[in-house]
mmCIF file of all heavy atoms in Angstrom:
data_model
loop_
_atom_site.group_PDB
_atom_site.id
_atom_site.type_symbol
_atom_site.label_atom_id
_atom_site.label_comp_id
_atom_site.label_asym_id
_atom_site.label_seq_id
_atom_site.Cartn_x
_atom_site.Cartn_y
_atom_site.Cartn_z
ATOM 1 N N TYR A 1 0.846 -1.259 0.037
ATOM 2 C CA TYR A 1 0.045 -0.050 0.015
ATOM 3 C C TYR A 1 0.856 1.256 0.004
ATOM 4 O O TYR A 1 0.457 2.221 -0.651
ATOM 5 C CB TYR A 1 -0.968 -0.009 1.160
ATOM 6 C CG TYR A 1 -2.149 -0.852 0.993
ATOM 7 C CD1 TYR A 1 -2.200 -2.157 1.415
ATOM 8 C CD2 TYR A 1 -3.282 -0.455 0.289
ATOM 9 C CE1 TYR A 1 -3.232 -3.043 1.262
ATOM 10 C CE2 TYR A 1 -4.374 -1.253 0.087
ATOM 11 C CZ TYR A 1 -4.393 -2.542 0.531
ATOM 12 O OH TYR A 1 -5.448 -3.307 0.303
ATOM 13 N N VAL A 2 1.947 1.283 0.780
ATOM 14 C CA VAL A 2 2.723 2.492 0.854
ATOM 15 C C VAL A 2 3.776 2.583 -0.252
ATOM 16 O O VAL A 2 3.779 3.552 -1.066
ATOM 17 C CB VAL A 2 3.378 2.599 2.259
ATOM 18 C CG1 VAL A 2 4.225 3.831 2.355
ATOM 19 C CG2 VAL A 2 2.329 2.663 3.368
ATOM 20 N N ASP A 3 4.658 1.530 -0.346
ATOM 21 C CA ASP A 3 5.763 1.597 -1.340
ATOM 22 C C ASP A 3 5.284 1.498 -2.745
ATOM 23 O O ASP A 3 5.708 2.155 -3.627
ATOM 24 C CB ASP A 3 6.820 0.512 -0.961
ATOM 25 C CG ASP A 3 7.351 0.749 0.393
ATOM 26 O OD1 ASP A 3 7.393 1.889 0.909
ATOM 27 O OD2 ASP A 3 7.788 -0.275 0.963
ATOM 28 N N PHE A 4 4.296 0.566 -2.979
ATOM 29 C CA PHE A 4 3.893 0.269 -4.318
ATOM 30 C C PHE A 4 2.768 1.211 -4.796
ATOM 31 O O PHE A 4 2.874 1.821 -5.834
ATOM 32 C CB PHE A 4 3.445 -1.219 -4.425
ATOM 33 C CG PHE A 4 2.994 -1.622 -5.856
ATOM 34 C CD1 PHE A 4 3.729 -1.523 -6.864
ATOM 35 C CD2 PHE A 4 1.737 -2.326 -5.906
ATOM 36 C CE1 PHE A 4 3.335 -1.890 -8.111
ATOM 37 C CE2 PHE A 4 1.314 -2.716 -7.114
ATOM 38 C CZ PHE A 4 2.110 -2.529 -8.272
ATOM 39 N N LEU A 5 1.654 1.327 -4.038
ATOM 40 C CA LEU A 5 0.499 2.108 -4.460
ATOM 41 C C LEU A 5 0.621 3.530 -4.088
ATOM 42 O O LEU A 5 -0.108 4.339 -4.637
ATOM 43 C CB LEU A 5 -0.777 1.554 -3.908
ATOM 44 C CG LEU A 5 -1.176 0.094 -4.305
ATOM 45 C CD1 LEU A 5 -2.469 -0.301 -3.664
ATOM 46 C CD2 LEU A 5 -1.252 0.051 -5.856
ATOM 47 N N GLY A 6 1.485 3.920 -3.162
ATOM 48 C CA GLY A 6 1.719 5.372 -2.847
ATOM 49 C C GLY A 6 0.837 5.901 -1.777
ATOM 50 O O GLY A 6 0.690 7.133 -1.763
ATOM 51 N N PHE A 7 0.208 5.051 -1.018
ATOM 52 C CA PHE A 7 -0.540 5.593 0.160
ATOM 53 C C PHE A 7 0.273 6.062 1.208
ATOM 54 O O PHE A 7 1.462 5.651 1.340
ATOM 55 C CB PHE A 7 -1.561 4.445 0.673
ATOM 56 C CG PHE A 7 -2.765 4.233 -0.174
ATOM 57 C CD1 PHE A 7 -2.729 3.502 -1.339
ATOM 58 C CD2 PHE A 7 -4.013 4.761 0.338
ATOM 59 C CE1 PHE A 7 -3.899 3.280 -2.014
ATOM 60 C CE2 PHE A 7 -5.119 4.492 -0.486
ATOM 61 C CZ PHE A 7 -5.122 3.758 -1.628
ATOM 62 N N GLU A 8 -0.148 6.849 2.070
ATOM 63 C CA GLU A 8 0.583 7.270 3.353
ATOM 64 C C GLU A 8 -0.191 6.726 4.502
ATOM 65 O O GLU A 8 -1.417 6.650 4.539
ATOM 66 C CB GLU A 8 0.732 8.738 3.390
ATOM 67 C CG GLU A 8 -0.586 9.593 3.490
ATOM 68 C CD GLU A 8 -0.369 11.088 3.491
ATOM 69 O OE1 GLU A 8 0.096 11.551 2.531
ATOM 70 O OE2 GLU A 8 -0.718 11.673 4.568
ATOM 71 N N VAL A 9 0.592 6.401 5.490
ATOM 72 C CA VAL A 9 -0.026 5.941 6.813
ATOM 73 C C VAL A 9 -0.554 7.115 7.573
ATOM 74 O O VAL A 9 0.219 8.064 7.868
ATOM 75 C CB VAL A 9 0.992 5.172 7.598
ATOM 76 C CG1 VAL A 9 0.363 4.761 8.959
ATOM 77 C CG2 VAL A 9 1.508 3.978 6.851
ATOM 78 N N GLU A 10 -1.803 7.177 7.886
ATOM 79 C CA GLU A 10 -2.460 8.261 8.618
ATOM 80 C C GLU A 10 -2.281 7.916 10.108
ATOM 81 O O GLU A 10 -2.110 8.845 10.951
ATOM 82 C CB GLU A 10 -3.920 8.386 8.283
ATOM 83 C CG GLU A 10 -4.140 9.144 7.054
ATOM 84 C CD GLU A 10 -5.613 9.609 6.934
ATOM 85 O OE1 GLU A 10 -6.500 8.768 6.971
ATOM 86 O OE2 GLU A 10 -5.820 10.863 6.858
ATOM 87 N N PHE A 11 -2.469 6.607 10.535
ATOM 88 C CA PHE A 11 -2.297 6.208 11.909
ATOM 89 C C PHE A 11 -2.145 4.752 12.005
ATOM 90 O O PHE A 11 -2.466 4.050 11.031
ATOM 91 C CB PHE A 11 -3.591 6.660 12.768
ATOM 92 C CG PHE A 11 -4.818 5.838 12.428
ATOM 93 C CD1 PHE A 11 -4.997 4.630 12.933
ATOM 94 C CD2 PHE A 11 -5.719 6.344 11.512
ATOM 95 C CE1 PHE A 11 -6.196 3.914 12.607
ATOM 96 C CE2 PHE A 11 -6.829 5.650 11.062
ATOM 97 C CZ PHE A 11 -7.082 4.415 11.665
ATOM 98 N N GLU A 12 -1.586 4.359 13.143
ATOM 99 C CA GLU A 12 -1.466 2.900 13.469
ATOM 100 C C GLU A 12 -1.883 2.757 14.861
ATOM 101 O O GLU A 12 -1.609 3.627 15.745
ATOM 102 C CB GLU A 12 0.035 2.500 13.364
ATOM 103 C CG GLU A 12 0.596 2.518 11.991
ATOM 104 C CD GLU A 12 2.012 2.043 11.883
ATOM 105 O OE1 GLU A 12 2.558 1.657 12.924
ATOM 106 O OE2 GLU A 12 2.621 2.041 10.814
ATOM 107 N N HIS A 13 -2.586 1.677 15.205
ATOM 108 C CA HIS A 13 -3.134 1.443 16.527
ATOM 109 C C HIS A 13 -2.955 -0.006 16.936
ATOM 110 O O HIS A 13 -3.274 -0.842 16.147
ATOM 111 C CB HIS A 13 -4.579 1.874 16.686
ATOM 112 C CG HIS A 13 -5.183 1.491 17.972
ATOM 113 N ND1 HIS A 13 -4.846 2.143 19.246
ATOM 114 C CD2 HIS A 13 -5.991 0.423 18.323
ATOM 115 C CE1 HIS A 13 -5.524 1.557 20.135
ATOM 116 N NE2 HIS A 13 -6.199 0.534 19.666
ATOM 117 N N ARG A 14 -2.433 -0.261 18.121
ATOM 118 C CA ARG A 14 -2.464 -1.524 18.760
ATOM 119 C C ARG A 14 -2.938 -1.304 20.191
ATOM 120 O O ARG A 14 -2.525 -0.303 20.867
ATOM 121 C CB ARG A 14 -1.062 -2.184 18.792
ATOM 122 C CG ARG A 14 -0.566 -2.599 17.467
ATOM 123 C CD ARG A 14 0.856 -3.306 17.645
ATOM 124 N NE ARG A 14 1.232 -4.061 16.443
ATOM 125 C CZ ARG A 14 1.813 -3.524 15.474
ATOM 126 N NH1 ARG A 14 2.126 -2.268 15.415
ATOM 127 N NH2 ARG A 14 2.135 -4.227 14.402
ATOM 128 N N PHE A 15 -3.724 -2.162 20.742
ATOM 129 C CA PHE A 15 -4.084 -2.089 22.123
ATOM 130 C C PHE A 15 -2.923 -2.151 23.093
ATOM 131 O O PHE A 15 -2.979 -1.556 24.116
ATOM 132 C CB PHE A 15 -5.164 -3.027 22.419
ATOM 133 C CG PHE A 15 -6.563 -2.767 21.844
ATOM 134 C CD1 PHE A 15 -7.045 -3.389 20.732
ATOM 135 C CD2 PHE A 15 -7.289 -1.681 22.410
ATOM 136 C CE1 PHE A 15 -8.209 -3.075 20.134
ATOM 137 C CE2 PHE A 15 -8.524 -1.263 21.737
ATOM 138 C CZ PHE A 15 -8.958 -1.986 20.676
ATOM 139 N N GLU A 16 -1.913 -2.930 22.704
ATOM 140 C CA GLU A 16 -0.665 -3.000 23.418
ATOM 141 C C GLU A 16 0.317 -3.628 22.497
ATOM 142 O O GLU A 16 0.025 -4.243 21.481
ATOM 143 C CB GLU A 16 -0.860 -3.792 24.737
ATOM 144 C CG GLU A 16 -1.359 -5.259 24.579
ATOM 145 C CD GLU A 16 -1.591 -5.927 25.875
ATOM 146 O OE1 GLU A 16 -2.452 -5.420 26.642
ATOM 147 O OE2 GLU A 16 -0.872 -6.894 26.139
ATOM 148 N N PRO A 17 1.621 -3.567 22.847
ATOM 149 C CA PRO A 17 2.687 -4.178 21.950
ATOM 150 C C PRO A 17 2.411 -5.669 21.703
ATOM 151 O O PRO A 17 1.949 -6.440 22.594
ATOM 152 C CB PRO A 17 3.967 -3.968 22.762
ATOM 153 C CG PRO A 17 3.686 -2.784 23.660
ATOM 154 C CD PRO A 17 2.214 -2.877 23.999
ATOM 155 N N GLY A 18 2.636 -6.109 20.514
ATOM 156 C CA GLY A 18 2.460 -7.398 20.126
ATOM 157 C C GLY A 18 1.007 -7.792 19.709
ATOM 158 O O GLY A 18 0.740 -8.913 19.285
ATOM 159 N N MET A 19 0.075 -6.887 19.852
ATOM 160 C CA MET A 19 -1.321 -7.132 19.456
ATOM 161 C C MET A 19 -1.510 -6.830 18.006
ATOM 162 O O MET A 19 -0.630 -6.117 17.410
ATOM 163 C CB MET A 19 -2.265 -6.190 20.334
ATOM 164 C CG MET A 19 -2.280 -6.466 21.837
ATOM 165 S SD MET A 19 -2.971 -8.146 22.215
ATOM 166 C CE MET A 19 -4.703 -7.860 21.868
ATOM 167 N N PRO A 20 -2.588 -7.188 17.418
ATOM 168 C CA PRO A 20 -2.864 -6.901 16.054
ATOM 169 C C PRO A 20 -2.818 -5.443 15.676
ATOM 170 O O PRO A 20 -3.285 -4.625 16.467
ATOM 171 C CB PRO A 20 -4.212 -7.625 15.769
ATOM 172 C CG PRO A 20 -4.391 -8.599 16.812
ATOM 173 C CD PRO A 20 -3.652 -8.032 18.001
ATOM 174 N N LEU A 21 -2.491 -5.186 14.467
ATOM 175 C CA LEU A 21 -2.367 -3.797 13.992
ATOM 176 C C LEU A 21 -3.696 -3.322 13.347
ATOM 177 O O LEU A 21 -4.231 -4.134 12.564
ATOM 178 C CB LEU A 21 -1.301 -3.648 12.978
ATOM 179 C CG LEU A 21 -1.085 -2.292 12.230
ATOM 180 C CD1 LEU A 21 -0.770 -1.200 13.239
ATOM 181 C CD2 LEU A 21 -0.074 -2.424 11.114
ATOM 182 N N TYR A 22 -4.180 -2.172 13.599
ATOM 183 C CA TYR A 22 -5.275 -1.528 12.952
ATOM 184 C C TYR A 22 -4.620 -0.184 12.364
ATOM 185 O O TYR A 22 -4.052 0.614 13.098
ATOM 186 C CB TYR A 22 -6.407 -1.231 13.855
ATOM 187 C CG TYR A 22 -7.599 -0.663 13.105
ATOM 188 C CD1 TYR A 22 -8.599 -1.599 12.715
ATOM 189 C CD2 TYR A 22 -7.858 0.658 12.865
ATOM 190 C CE1 TYR A 22 -9.743 -1.205 11.993
ATOM 191 C CE2 TYR A 22 -8.941 1.097 12.169
ATOM 192 C CZ TYR A 22 -9.884 0.166 11.765
ATOM 193 O OH TYR A 22 -11.025 0.644 11.054
ATOM 194 N N MET A 23 -4.752 -0.046 11.018
ATOM 195 C CA MET A 23 -4.069 1.088 10.422
ATOM 196 C C MET A 23 -4.891 1.797 9.435
ATOM 197 O O MET A 23 -5.711 1.211 8.705
ATOM 198 C CB MET A 23 -2.795 0.420 9.648
ATOM 199 C CG MET A 23 -1.950 1.287 8.786
ATOM 200 S SD MET A 23 -0.502 0.498 8.111
ATOM 201 C CE MET A 23 -1.137 -0.986 7.357
ATOM 202 N N GLY A 24 -4.765 3.120 9.387
ATOM 203 C CA GLY A 24 -5.433 3.986 8.423
ATOM 204 C C GLY A 24 -4.508 4.450 7.333
ATOM 205 O O GLY A 24 -3.373 4.891 7.661
ATOM 206 N N LEU A 25 -4.913 4.350 6.065
ATOM 207 C CA LEU A 25 -4.073 4.824 4.968
ATOM 208 C C LEU A 25 -4.848 5.825 4.144
ATOM 209 O O LEU A 25 -6.128 5.851 4.120
ATOM 210 C CB LEU A 25 -3.742 3.629 4.084
ATOM 211 C CG LEU A 25 -2.953 2.467 4.740
ATOM 212 C CD1 LEU A 25 -2.857 1.373 3.752
ATOM 213 C CD2 LEU A 25 -1.541 2.891 5.123
ATOM 214 N N ARG A 26 -4.136 6.717 3.459
ATOM 215 C CA ARG A 26 -4.737 7.686 2.606
ATOM 216 C C ARG A 26 -3.905 7.967 1.445
ATOM 217 O O ARG A 26 -2.650 8.057 1.509
ATOM 218 C CB ARG A 26 -4.890 9.033 3.461
ATOM 219 C CG ARG A 26 -5.503 10.111 2.561
ATOM 220 C CD ARG A 26 -5.633 11.417 3.396
ATOM 221 N NE ARG A 26 -6.277 12.369 2.621
ATOM 222 C CZ ARG A 26 -6.716 13.514 2.995
ATOM 223 N NH1 ARG A 26 -6.630 13.800 4.348
ATOM 224 N NH2 ARG A 26 -7.240 14.363 2.213
ATOM 225 N N ARG A 27 -4.529 8.165 0.304
ATOM 226 C CA ARG A 27 -3.933 8.715 -0.899
ATOM 227 C C ARG A 27 -4.880 9.624 -1.509
ATOM 228 O O ARG A 27 -5.964 9.233 -1.916
ATOM 229 C CB ARG A 27 -3.514 7.625 -1.897
ATOM 230 C CG ARG A 27 -2.928 8.261 -3.143
ATOM 231 C CD ARG A 27 -2.125 7.298 -3.988
ATOM 232 N NE ARG A 27 -1.669 8.033 -5.159
ATOM 233 C CZ ARG A 27 -0.912 7.594 -6.118
ATOM 234 N NH1 ARG A 27 -0.462 6.403 -5.975
ATOM 235 N NH2 ARG A 27 -0.580 8.319 -7.172
ATOM 236 N N ASP A 28 -4.590 10.894 -1.545
ATOM 237 C CA ASP A 28 -5.501 11.926 -2.007
ATOM 238 C C ASP A 28 -6.820 11.900 -1.168
ATOM 239 O O ASP A 28 -6.764 11.948 0.094
ATOM 240 C CB ASP A 28 -5.761 11.874 -3.495
ATOM 241 C CG ASP A 28 -4.422 11.981 -4.312
ATOM 242 O OD1 ASP A 28 -3.687 12.827 -3.990
ATOM 243 O OD2 ASP A 28 -4.293 11.238 -5.257
ATOM 244 N N GLU A 29 -7.915 11.757 -1.794
ATOM 245 C CA GLU A 29 -9.218 11.682 -1.023
ATOM 246 C C GLU A 29 -9.586 10.192 -0.660
ATOM 247 O O GLU A 29 -10.715 10.037 -0.090
ATOM 248 C CB GLU A 29 -10.311 12.329 -1.861
ATOM 249 C CG GLU A 29 -10.100 13.834 -2.092
ATOM 250 C CD GLU A 29 -9.859 14.559 -0.748
ATOM 251 O OE1 GLU A 29 -10.765 14.390 0.162
ATOM 252 O OE2 GLU A 29 -8.903 15.326 -0.616
ATOM 253 N N CYS A 30 -8.823 9.244 -1.160
ATOM 254 C CA CYS A 30 -9.129 7.888 -0.863
ATOM 255 C C CYS A 30 -8.550 7.414 0.467
ATOM 256 O O CYS A 30 -7.357 7.547 0.810
ATOM 257 C CB CYS A 30 -8.573 6.956 -1.970
ATOM 258 S SG CYS A 30 -8.878 5.209 -1.711
ATOM 259 N N ARG A 31 -9.437 6.951 1.344
ATOM 260 C CA ARG A 31 -8.988 6.370 2.616
ATOM 261 C C ARG A 31 -9.369 4.959 2.717
ATOM 262 O O ARG A 31 -10.519 4.515 2.331
ATOM 263 C CB ARG A 31 -9.666 7.151 3.771
ATOM 264 C CG ARG A 31 -9.124 8.537 4.005
ATOM 265 C CD ARG A 31 -9.627 9.100 5.299
ATOM 266 N NE ARG A 31 -8.870 10.237 5.686
ATOM 267 C CZ ARG A 31 -9.126 11.509 5.300
ATOM 268 N NH1 ARG A 31 -10.134 11.720 4.442
ATOM 269 N NH2 ARG A 31 -8.356 12.454 5.697
ATOM 270 N N VAL A 32 -8.495 4.135 3.333
ATOM 271 C CA VAL A 32 -8.698 2.721 3.548
ATOM 272 C C VAL A 32 -8.188 2.362 4.907
ATOM 273 O O VAL A 32 -7.113 2.821 5.353
ATOM 274 C CB VAL A 32 -7.921 1.876 2.468
ATOM 275 C CG1 VAL A 32 -8.111 0.395 2.733
ATOM 276 C CG2 VAL A 32 -8.391 2.209 1.107
ATOM 277 N N HIS A 33 -8.882 1.540 5.619
ATOM 278 C CA HIS A 33 -8.352 0.988 6.916
ATOM 279 C C HIS A 33 -8.069 -0.477 6.740
ATOM 280 O O HIS A 33 -8.778 -1.172 6.013
ATOM 281 C CB HIS A 33 -9.429 1.152 8.014
ATOM 282 C CG HIS A 33 -9.566 2.599 8.447
ATOM 283 N ND1 HIS A 33 -10.348 2.884 9.541
ATOM 284 C CD2 HIS A 33 -9.103 3.771 7.992
ATOM 285 C CE1 HIS A 33 -10.295 4.234 9.710
ATOM 286 N NE2 HIS A 33 -9.583 4.785 8.822
ATOM 287 N N LEU A 34 -6.964 -0.893 7.332
ATOM 288 C CA LEU A 34 -6.571 -2.312 7.283
ATOM 289 C C LEU A 34 -6.461 -2.854 8.702
ATOM 290 O O LEU A 34 -5.945 -2.207 9.527
ATOM 291 C CB LEU A 34 -5.257 -2.430 6.546
ATOM 292 C CG LEU A 34 -5.417 -2.075 5.047
ATOM 293 C CD1 LEU A 34 -4.344 -1.199 4.596
ATOM 294 C CD2 LEU A 34 -5.491 -3.354 4.252
ATOM 295 N N SER A 35 -7.018 -4.017 8.911
ATOM 296 C CA SER A 35 -7.070 -4.586 10.321
ATOM 297 C C SER A 35 -6.533 -6.070 10.268
ATOM 298 O O SER A 35 -6.860 -6.858 9.444
ATOM 299 C CB SER A 35 -8.483 -4.551 10.776
ATOM 300 O OG SER A 35 -8.474 -5.226 12.053
ATOM 301 N N GLU A 36 -5.622 -6.292 11.238
ATOM 302 C CA GLU A 36 -5.199 -7.645 11.515
ATOM 303 C C GLU A 36 -6.151 -8.359 12.514
ATOM 304 O O GLU A 36 -5.894 -9.557 12.878
ATOM 305 C CB GLU A 36 -3.762 -7.691 12.065
ATOM 306 C CG GLU A 36 -2.743 -7.173 11.041
ATOM 307 C CD GLU A 36 -1.340 -7.087 11.669
ATOM 308 O OE1 GLU A 36 -1.190 -7.140 12.873
ATOM 309 O OE2 GLU A 36 -0.394 -7.002 10.806
ATOM 310 N N HIS A 37 -7.077 -7.673 13.001
ATOM 311 C CA HIS A 37 -8.037 -8.282 14.034
ATOM 312 C C HIS A 37 -8.967 -9.238 13.434
ATOM 313 O O HIS A 37 -9.673 -8.955 12.410
ATOM 314 C CB HIS A 37 -8.827 -7.145 14.704
ATOM 315 C CG HIS A 37 -7.993 -6.207 15.602
ATOM 316 N ND1 HIS A 37 -7.802 -6.430 16.931
ATOM 317 C CD2 HIS A 37 -7.407 -5.049 15.289
ATOM 318 C CE1 HIS A 37 -7.007 -5.490 17.359
ATOM 319 N NE2 HIS A 37 -6.743 -4.643 16.440
ATOM 320 N N PHE A 38 -9.017 -10.448 14.002
ATOM 321 C CA PHE A 38 -9.902 -11.423 13.586
ATOM 322 C C PHE A 38 -11.273 -10.939 13.758
ATOM 323 O O PHE A 38 -11.664 -10.350 14.743
ATOM 324 C CB PHE A 38 -9.695 -12.732 14.499
ATOM 325 C CG PHE A 38 -10.557 -13.858 14.044
ATOM 326 C CD1 PHE A 38 -10.304 -14.612 13.012
ATOM 327 C CD2 PHE A 38 -11.811 -14.089 14.827
ATOM 328 C CE1 PHE A 38 -11.142 -15.711 12.729
ATOM 329 C CE2 PHE A 38 -12.597 -15.077 14.428
ATOM 330 C CZ PHE A 38 -12.309 -15.940 13.359
ATOM 331 N N GLY A 39 -12.129 -11.125 12.696
ATOM 332 C CA GLY A 39 -13.481 -10.647 12.717
ATOM 333 C C GLY A 39 -13.768 -9.242 12.174
ATOM 334 O O GLY A 39 -14.938 -8.939 12.071
ATOM 335 N N ASP A 40 -12.772 -8.444 12.025
ATOM 336 C CA ASP A 40 -13.025 -7.086 11.492
ATOM 337 C C ASP A 40 -13.431 -7.131 10.015
ATOM 338 O O ASP A 40 -14.207 -6.354 9.610
ATOM 339 C CB ASP A 40 -11.743 -6.245 11.654
ATOM 340 C CG ASP A 40 -11.726 -5.472 12.959
ATOM 341 O OD1 ASP A 40 -12.698 -5.620 13.722
ATOM 342 O OD2 ASP A 40 -10.787 -4.731 13.243
ATOM 343 N N ALA A 41 -12.797 -8.059 9.267
ATOM 344 C CA ALA A 41 -13.157 -8.091 7.847
ATOM 345 C C ALA A 41 -12.677 -9.475 7.306
ATOM 346 O O ALA A 41 -11.805 -10.098 7.998
ATOM 347 C CB ALA A 41 -12.424 -7.011 7.136
ATOM 348 N N ALA A 42 -13.240 -9.906 6.252
ATOM 349 C CA ALA A 42 -12.876 -11.124 5.685
ATOM 350 C C ALA A 42 -11.897 -10.889 4.482
ATOM 351 O O ALA A 42 -12.159 -9.970 3.738
ATOM 352 C CB ALA A 42 -14.031 -11.943 5.134
ATOM 353 N N PRO A 43 -10.833 -11.701 4.314
ATOM 354 C CA PRO A 43 -9.952 -11.480 3.150
ATOM 355 C C PRO A 43 -10.767 -11.865 1.916
ATOM 356 O O PRO A 43 -11.736 -12.550 1.963
ATOM 357 C CB PRO A 43 -8.844 -12.515 3.399
ATOM 358 C CG PRO A 43 -9.366 -13.512 4.399
ATOM 359 C CD PRO A 43 -10.444 -12.786 5.170
ATOM 360 N N GLY A 44 -10.324 -11.234 0.809
ATOM 361 C CA GLY A 44 -11.043 -11.431 -0.485
ATOM 362 C C GLY A 44 -12.021 -10.392 -0.778
ATOM 363 O O GLY A 44 -12.786 -10.615 -1.744
ATOM 364 N N ALA A 45 -12.068 -9.264 -0.049
ATOM 365 C CA ALA A 45 -13.073 -8.211 -0.341
ATOM 366 C C ALA A 45 -12.615 -7.597 -1.682
ATOM 367 O O ALA A 45 -11.528 -7.725 -2.167
ATOM 368 C CB ALA A 45 -13.018 -7.126 0.716
ATOM 369 N N ARG A 46 -13.588 -6.823 -2.265
ATOM 370 C CA ARG A 46 -13.239 -6.151 -3.551
ATOM 371 C C ARG A 46 -13.567 -4.728 -3.287
ATOM 372 O O ARG A 46 -14.610 -4.302 -2.789
ATOM 373 C CB ARG A 46 -14.017 -6.728 -4.689
ATOM 374 C CG ARG A 46 -13.731 -6.073 -5.990
ATOM 375 C CD ARG A 46 -14.041 -6.943 -7.142
ATOM 376 N NE ARG A 46 -13.250 -6.504 -8.277
ATOM 377 C CZ ARG A 46 -13.104 -7.239 -9.341
ATOM 378 N NH1 ARG A 46 -13.703 -8.388 -9.417
ATOM 379 N NH2 ARG A 46 -12.482 -6.731 -10.400
ATOM 380 N N LEU A 47 -12.716 -3.774 -3.869
ATOM 381 C CA LEU A 47 -12.860 -2.319 -3.631
ATOM 382 C C LEU A 47 -12.608 -1.739 -5.074
ATOM 383 O O LEU A 47 -11.605 -2.017 -5.730
ATOM 384 C CB LEU A 47 -11.876 -1.940 -2.607
ATOM 385 C CG LEU A 47 -11.747 -0.437 -2.222
ATOM 386 C CD1 LEU A 47 -13.078 -0.060 -1.587
ATOM 387 C CD2 LEU A 47 -10.690 -0.273 -1.197
ATOM 388 N N ARG A 48 -13.448 -0.782 -5.429
ATOM 389 C CA ARG A 48 -13.233 0.057 -6.638
ATOM 390 C C ARG A 48 -12.782 1.405 -6.216
ATOM 391 O O ARG A 48 -13.425 2.085 -5.390
ATOM 392 C CB ARG A 48 -14.492 0.179 -7.461
ATOM 393 C CG ARG A 48 -14.997 -1.166 -8.107
ATOM 394 C CD ARG A 48 -16.276 -1.019 -8.873
ATOM 395 N NE ARG A 48 -16.366 0.063 -9.792
ATOM 396 C CZ ARG A 48 -15.904 0.115 -10.994
ATOM 397 N NH1 ARG A 48 -15.260 -0.921 -11.493
ATOM 398 N NH2 ARG A 48 -16.059 1.194 -11.777
#
């Protein structure tokens, strides 16, 4: 997302060290959140 697609990291959150990452990304007006938390989202989603 950052090196290849050119998004910038807006924020990173973990409840404590070693916990799953929840991260916000932005490129221009496009915002995407990515979560390592089980149950937040299912892999294989599609986004236009």
